[in-house]
Amino acid sequence: MIKLVLTDLDGTLTEDRGIYKVSLDAIKYLRLLEERGIKVALVSGNSYPVLRGLHNYLGFSGGVVAENGCVVFYKQKIRVCKPMDRQILEEFKEKFKLKDSWQNDYRECDFGFTPPDITEEMIKWAEEKGLYINSSGYALHIAFKPAGKMVGVRKLIELHGVKKEVVIGIGDSLTDLDMFKEVGIKVAVGNAEEELKKEADIILNLKSGEGVKELVTMILEGKLNGRNR
């Protein structure tokens, strides 16, 4: 029996990839899970204050994995990653001519920049400094290793005291590959990146928020047996 659903935010709970409008229908359907005793948690590269506020106002109770795994909340807030060195942030921004995410004022470990395109030079630079680097499609993210949604999701599931086999993770971008490593059922929305779809147990027919509705319907109707590829 499914006990916990982990959902990405940008590109998954939104109306489409690349936009910021949250799908109200997706939220309505996720609340149906909460009413059935299945907890919903937000797993995202967004900052803790943004996700913590949404968690409360959207009516979820499963907790938060913020900053791509670096900050976790479920009954208590836990910082999983090492705080970022501000000098490194400035070097990264200047070297690659990037712009700060407005949320960087509220971040501790994982910081975001635009444009969101990763280059081989960036990857090499990050590796030399022991940094995690990834892109959500909305922003570039860097943090000290170990980082990535995997470390935060592992901690959140530990706090819930459940086995990963009863946990579903749904996402759309490459940052969700890390989340997939820690959940029992891996779900990609219909417009997810192809690399994520290759790792998914279930590939939904519909995009982003509509895909979330599709998944919730499957859960409520007991149709999550086997792979849907």
Side-chain angles (χ1 to χ4, degrees):
M1 178 180 175
I2 302 303
K3 294 186 177 180
L4 179 64
V5 173
L6 310 180
T7 176
D8 172 53
L9 176 59
D10 297 316
T12 303
L13 281 188
T14 51
E15 293 178 353
D16 204 343
R17 298 191 73 199
I19 65 174
Y20 294 95
K21 288 184 180 179
V22 172
S23 168
L24 299 182
D25 282 343
I27 302 308
K28 178 181 177 180
Y29 273 67
L30 288 171
R31 283 177 173 171
L32 294 177
L33 294 183
E34 288 277 353
E35 290 173 8
R36 300 287 183 92
I38 300 172
K39 295 181 182 297
V40 178
L42 295 171
V43 180
S44 172
N46 281 281
S47 63
Y48 175 75
V50 168
L51 294 179
R52 183 75 170 85
L54 283 173
H55 179 264
N56 282 10
Y57 284 105
L58 297 180
F60 301 157
S61 65
V64 160
V65 176
E67 295 193 24
N68 281 313
C70 286
V71 180
V72 175
F73 170 79
Y74 181 64
K75 299 182 180 179
Q76 59 180 315
K77 178 186 174 187
I78 299 173
R79 189 176 67 208
V80 181
C81 307
K82 177 182 175 183
M84 177 51 72
D85 184 326
R86 297 284 175 163
Q87 185 175 342
I88 289 178
L89 293 176
E90 289 301 316
E91 181 182 341
F92 183 61
K93 183 170 67 172
E94 293 299 322
K95 182 176 180 63
F96 297 107
K97 306 293 189 295
L98 301 171
K99 181 180 178 182
D100 275 297
S101 161
W102 67 268
Q103 295 188 47
N104 282 353
D105 287 342
Y106 311 101
R107 295 178 182 274
E108 300 176 46
C109 308
D110 174 285
F111 285 73
F113 300 89
T114 55
D117 307 309
I118 293 182
T119 66
E120 289 299 323
E121 186 181 3
M122 288 177 183
I123 294 172
K124 181 179 179 181
W125 179 89
E127 287 178 349
E128 290 173 351
K129 296 184 179 298
L131 299 175
Y132 161 92
I133 184 169
N134 212 331
S135 173
S136 65
Y138 286 73
L140 278 173
H141 291 267
I142 62 169
F144 282 118
K145 293 180 180 180
K149 291 182 178 181
M150 176 176 62
V151 295
V153 166
R154 185 185 303 142
K155 173 56 70 173
L156 180 66
I157 292 174
E158 176 187 315
L159 292 172
H160 274 273
V162 299
K163 296 180 181 294
K164 74 176 187 178
E165 287 75 18
V166 299
V167 181
I168 291 177
I170 178 171
D172 74 298
S173 76
L174 297 182
T175 61
D176 297 311
L177 287 170
D178 284 335
M179 174 170 64
F180 277 9
K181 295 173 183 176
E182 296 296 323
V183 300
I185 302 176
K186 313 169 187 67
V187 183
V189 291
N191 56 338
E193 295 191 42
E194 289 304 315
E195 190 173 341
L196 188 74
K197 288 181 178 180
K198 290 177 182 177
E199 298 300 321
D201 299 317
I202 299 171
I203 301 171
L204 300 168
N205 296 309
L206 303 177
K207 69 179 183 180
S208 300
E210 289 298 309
V212 172
K213 287 174 54 180
E214 183 182 352
L215 173 64
V216 172
T217 300
M218 292 170 67
I219 295 171
L220 295 178
E221 294 180 352
K223 296 180 178 178
L224 279 181
N225 296 320
R227 297 167 73 88
N228 181 25
R229 306 195 75 163

